[in-house]
Every structure is written in C-alpha cells, then in structure tokens.
Amino acid sequence: MQIKIFKTQDEIANFVSDMFIEEIKKESPVLGLATGGTPVPTYEKLIEKTKEQNISWKNVKTFNLDEYTGIGPAHSQSYRYFMNENLFNKIDINIYNTYVPNGFGNLEKNVNEYDEKIAQEGGIDLQILGIGSNGHIAFNEPGTSFDQKTHVIELTEQTREDNKRFFNSIDEVPTHSITMGLATIVKAKKIVLVATGENKADAICKMIEEQPTTDLPASILHDHANVVVVLDEASASKLSSKTIEELVEA
Ligand code: GLP
C-alpha cells in the first residue's frame, strides 16, 4: 500500500486526475468511478485537463461503484444523475459506454449482468474509491463478506445519516442500494482510495494499521498489489509515526 498525504484539495485532485489521464491516453481504458463528495474536485480537474490537453474520452468505458435502489436515474440524488452532472455531460464520452448499476426492475438480474459486463470489457484498469466513516467502500457495509460480487445491500443507519445531507430529510434516503461487491472491486488492476476530513481518520487508521477484517470493509485493500491511498492531513491525523515513516511517500 502506497500512501500520499497532501495539504490541499487541489493537490489531491491534481495527483488523482493525473493517474486517470494516464489511463485515458491508453488504447481502450476501463475506469471505475465513485460518487460522494470526495471525488468531485478530481472530476473538476479531469474536465479542466481534458479541455487543456484536448483529450478525447471516445474510447473510454466507465463502471460506477453503486446506485440507490428505488430512485430512478432522473432523480437528482441518483448516482447516475450525479455522474452525468459532475462528469459525463462535460466530456465527449459516449453515454452508452458509461455503466451505473440499475436500481430498478429485476435486481437479481441487474447485479449478475453488471459483473458479467465488467468481465466482458476486460476488467477495470483504474478504480477510484472513497471511504465511509464506518470503513465501507462503495456500499459494502461492515460485515459484508470479502467474497461478495455485485449485490443488493441494506444501508446502515450511519450511512443513511451520513448521506442525508444530500436529501431533504432522512426519510427520503433510500434504505437499499446495489453495490459492486468487495470481490468485484479488488479485481481492479489499480486502485486509488481518496479520503479527506477528520471524520475519515479512524477508518483510515484501522484500514492501514490493523489486520483485514470484514468489520472494516476497506481493509480488504491490504492484500491488493496496486493500491495508492491519497489523504489530506486531517484524514491522516490518526496514523502512527511508524506508518508515516514506513509507508508515506513524498
Ligand atoms: C457513499 C458512497 C461511497 C462513498 C462514501 C463517502 O456512501 N456509496 O462510494 O465513498 O459515501 O462519501 P463522501 O465522499 O461524500 O464522504
């Protein structure tokens, strides 16, 4: 696990967007994308660099991590809507090459098809992840088996509480979602996990310093061969000096 700590959001966005640009310039890139507040500055930077460097996304395929069930793609808090607004509508990607799990209809069929589609496209080259304050990645809540593929999950009260800021009230926050499973996520060839803010410091510290456990889903990343953890000073504030000495790269 490689760890980078930056002082500003801008530096984080710069570093992570460069990782993506490198992939996008390859022949047929498959990108894994995330929602939430954390990746937004990276998407803004990506849009900026796409214009500046005249980059085309025509050959890019994307797979998003998760989607709420029961709210449609037109709902302003659906992750499909989020991705269209924050990235896809601002670049020249073919919208049919952008995949977000479908939270409507036959959910069992949808989850199986999602894993099959990722495999068909040759797997994900670079996956961006955020982290929940309880250590979830995508919507894999504590207790989720490391062997799970894409599936439907009931959200914990803490996650619904964390995400209610995007809705009018907690009652509007969906109770379930479709999420890429942990086994699906770790198949990505390269992973960049980004965390900012003090409310992520505990989860980050446990993920890096403790043994992998299903109590902290993000700890599955321990055994992945190619993970970069990108932090600000607040989210890194609980790391021990031993970790900082041994793992943090300048
Ligand atoms: C949500 C998403 C996750 C995201 C997490 C953190 O629950 N499903 O993919 O990483 O929240 O979100 P934020 O970046 O807003 O803190």
Side-chain angles (χ1 to χ4, degrees):
M1 213 176 246
Q2 182 195 349
I3 306 173
K4 305 279 287 181
I5 304 176
F6 292 102
K7 284 208 162 60
T8 65
Q9 291 279 351
D10 199 58
E11 287 171 292
I12 291 179
N14 222 358
F15 178 82
V16 182
S17 60
D18 275 347
M19 288 181 74
F20 275 94
I21 297 279
E22 203 183 310
E23 291 299 322
I24 296 162
K25 286 181 175 167
K26 293 180 185 166
E27 210 168 305
S28 39
V30 181
L31 307 179
L33 301 178
T35 53
T38 310
V40 171
T42 294
Y43 295 153
E44 285 169 355
K45 212 35 118 187
L46 263 175
I47 295 162
E48 224 177 276
K49 288 182 182 173
T50 296
K51 284 193 192 124
E52 277 167 18
Q53 300 176 34
N54 211 5
I55 291 167
S56 174
W57 291 64
K58 287 239 154 67
N59 297 326
V60 178
K61 301 213 163 87
T62 66
F63 287 91
N64 261 81
L65 287 170
D66 44 19
E67 178 62 286
Y68 291 118
T69 62
I71 62 174
H75 190 291
S76 64
Q77 293 313 326
S78 75
Y79 287 169
R80 160 55 74 186
Y81 190 94
F82 174 102
M83 288 310 302
N84 288 354
E85 286 290 297
N86 286 288
L87 186 63
F88 301 149
N89 289 347
K90 298 177 177 167
I91 51 176
D92 69 344
I93 199 162
N94 177 347
I95 205 73
Y96 295 107
N97 287 338
T98 68
Y99 299 92
V100 178
N102 178 3
F104 259 131
N106 182 340
L107 298 183
E108 200 171 323
K109 183 166 162 272
N110 297 352
V111 298
N112 293 332
E113 282 178 358
Y114 206 65
D115 281 329
E116 278 163 23
K117 188 68 198 163
I118 296 172
Q120 253 174 39
E121 296 299 342
I124 291 170
D125 297 310
L126 175 62
Q127 172 71 59
I128 184 171
L129 295 176
I131 185 169
S133 59
N134 61 1
H136 74 229
I137 49 177
F139 268 131
N140 293 283
E141 298 283 27
T144 309
S145 156
F146 284 179
D147 298 328
Q148 274 273 12
K149 294 182 178 167
T150 299
H151 60 288
V152 177
I153 193 156
E154 181 171 7
L155 302 177
T156 61
E157 277 317 298
Q158 185 178 344
T159 297
R160 294 184 69 235
E161 198 51 49
D162 285 350
N163 288 358
K164 85 168 181 214
R165 65 190 194 277
F166 299 114
F167 294 82
N168 293 323
S169 75
I170 184 93
D171 300 332
E172 285 184 18
V173 184
T175 54
H176 291 74
S177 86
I178 285 194
T179 180
M180 249 189 227
L182 294 169
T184 315
I185 292 172
V186 292
K187 278 196 188 148
K189 292 162 198 131
K190 211 180 293 171
I191 294 178
V192 55
L193 182 142
V194 187
T196 55
E198 217 188 326
N199 66 326
K200 305 292 172 71
D202 270 326
I204 287 296
C205 177
K206 285 188 191 143
M207 173 184 88
I208 294 170
E209 297 188 355
E210 292 178 14
Q211 285 307 307
T213 161
T214 53
D215 292 345
L216 194 95
S219 64
I220 194 176
L221 301 178
H222 253 277
D223 297 328
H224 192 284
N226 201 341
V227 177
V228 187
V229 180
V230 178
L231 306 172
D232 65 355
E233 288 176 339
S235 61
S237 61
K238 298 211 169 146
L239 294 177
S240 67
S241 35
K242 186 168 175 274
T243 301
I244 300 214
E245 251 165 55
E246 285 175 5
L247 295 176
V248 176
E249 300 208 353

